Amino acid sequence: MVLSKKHGSYLAVNLAFGFGVAMGVHVAGNISGAHMNAAVTFANCALGRLPWRKFPVYVLGQFLGSFLAAATIYTLFYTAILHFSGGQLMVTGPVATAGIFATYLPDYMTLWRGFLNEVWLTGMLQLCLFAITDKENNPALPGTQALVIGILVVTIGMSLGMNTGYAINPSRDLPPRIFTFIAGWGKQVFSDGENWWWVPVVAPLLGAYLGGIIYVVFIGSTIPREPPKLEDSVAYEDNRITVSSKMEPHTSMASRLTPVSMNPDNRPSVRLAPTLQESMAQEQF
């Protein structure tokens, strides 16, 4: 879109972004859950859905992959970038090319409006991801999760992405920004837009966490869920208590309950059946 108005468009950017995410889900979905977004990984850890020990490992992989992706794009489009910019690597202006790799604020946006924008968009992303993968709600059909998540990314980008370029992922913004600093775009990649660089790192983390909380509290908690099945079950029948359990040498307290006759208050009473060790001790005595 930046280098050629003839071959690129805003629609093409969003479609490529969404389908790229879908391909990533297909590649790594069954291996790691396809964690390609540090904000999503953070939200899952903070809400107890993923152990914290995996967070640094996943983020390291995300950052490394994103940095190498930026290097790949730079290598493939090097001559096109120089042709478009006249040999200058610019962050702002009519021949700016830094925006190919990371997000930058347009002139009409302020820093804190951009922060709010990123929080909102990432919150919507995380809320919908929980809905898509919640088996107790109305999840995507098996085998279609990757496509549906890709459509979600396209939807966010097409409807709300104009203001900030919808980073919605620290891992897709900071590593390429670091690469452009190394490759020759200079310190302006960090200072431009009132030092905008930290917002695509912090705001998505906050947004994903809030979006996850909103889903869990206001949506997930209202969905009827099957109660957990206990190993020991107690059934009341004909004013008696019937106890079923897996009888093993070391049994639980519930499995030692045996029925007795009704007490004067017309309520069933129980006593503890002796364990195997207790029975042996009584026999020895």
Side-chain angles (χ1 to χ4, degrees):
M1 184 179 70
V2 173
L3 301 179
S4 173
K5 302 300 181 183
K6 178 180 178 180
H7 297 99
S9 66
Y10 188 67
L11 174 61
V13 171
N14 286 281
L15 289 175
F17 195 3
F19 290 145
V21 170
M23 294 302 104
V25 175
H26 275 296
V27 170
N30 243 12
I31 299 172
S32 65
H35 279 258
M36 298 176 285
N37 187 329
V40 172
T41 304
F42 173 80
N44 278 269
C45 290
L47 295 174
R49 300 190 173 204
L50 190 72
W52 278 107
R53 59 183 172 81
K54 291 188 177 183
F55 181 75
V57 179
Y58 281 14
V59 172
L60 177 62
Q62 294 162 9
F63 274 42
L64 179 61
S66 185
F67 186 89
L68 293 176
T72 301
I73 294 299
Y74 178 76
T75 302
L76 294 176
F77 288 91
Y78 177 74
T79 54
I81 291 173
L82 294 183
H83 175 75
F84 173 79
S85 63
Q88 296 179 323
L89 301 179
M90 304 295 294
V91 176
T92 59
V95 292
T97 50
I100 295 174
F101 300 89
T103 62
Y104 292 87
L105 276 182
D107 295 336
Y108 60 85
M109 287 292 290
T110 64
L111 183 71
W112 292 107
R113 285 185 178 274
F115 185 95
L116 178 63
N117 196 88
E118 286 294 319
V119 169
W120 181 266
L121 268 59
T122 316
M124 293 296 297
L125 172 71
Q126 184 62 75
L127 186 151
C128 292
L129 285 175
F130 276 173
I132 291 170
T133 57
D134 188 351
K135 295 180 180 179
E136 301 296 332
N137 192 354
N138 186 22
L141 296 175
T144 67
Q145 295 94 334
L147 177 61
V148 175
I149 292 172
I151 293 173
L152 169 62
V153 173
V154 173
T155 303
I156 292 174
M158 290 296 296
S159 59
L160 301 168
M162 183 183 76
N163 286 333
T164 60
Y166 72 116
I168 61 174
N169 181 2
S171 301
R172 87 96 164 157
D173 197 86
L174 183 58
R177 194 182 301 272
I178 295 173
F179 174 81
T180 54
F181 169 74
I182 297 172
W185 275 266
K187 296 180 180 179
Q188 194 178 358
V189 299
F190 295 105
S191 62
D192 187 70
E194 304 177 67
N195 298 308
W196 163 258
W197 71 271
W198 65 270
V199 174
V201 177
V202 177
L205 298 177
L206 177 60
Y209 181 60
L210 293 177
I213 289 178
I214 290 172
Y215 183 86
V216 170
V217 173
F218 295 101
I219 301 174
S221 63
T222 64
I223 300 173
R225 300 178 188 272
E226 294 184 2
K229 296 181 179 179
L230 300 177
E231 182 180 354
D232 302 317
S233 60
V234 179
Y236 289 84
E237 183 176 354
D238 296 335
N239 291 327
R240 285 186 170 275
I241 300 178
T242 303
V243 181
S244 63
S245 174
K246 294 180 180 178
M247 298 304 293
E248 297 181 2
H250 298 282
T251 56
S252 65
M253 182 65 73
S255 65
R256 297 174 60 195
L257 294 173
T258 56
V260 299
S261 59
M262 305 296 294
N263 60 25
D265 296 329
N266 199 32
R267 291 177 300 177
S269 59
V270 297
R271 62 180 175 85
L272 291 178
T275 63
L276 179 61
Q277 291 84 348
E278 291 171 344
S279 300
M280 293 174 64
Q282 292 173 3
E283 291 175 2
Q284 291 174 358
F285 180 76

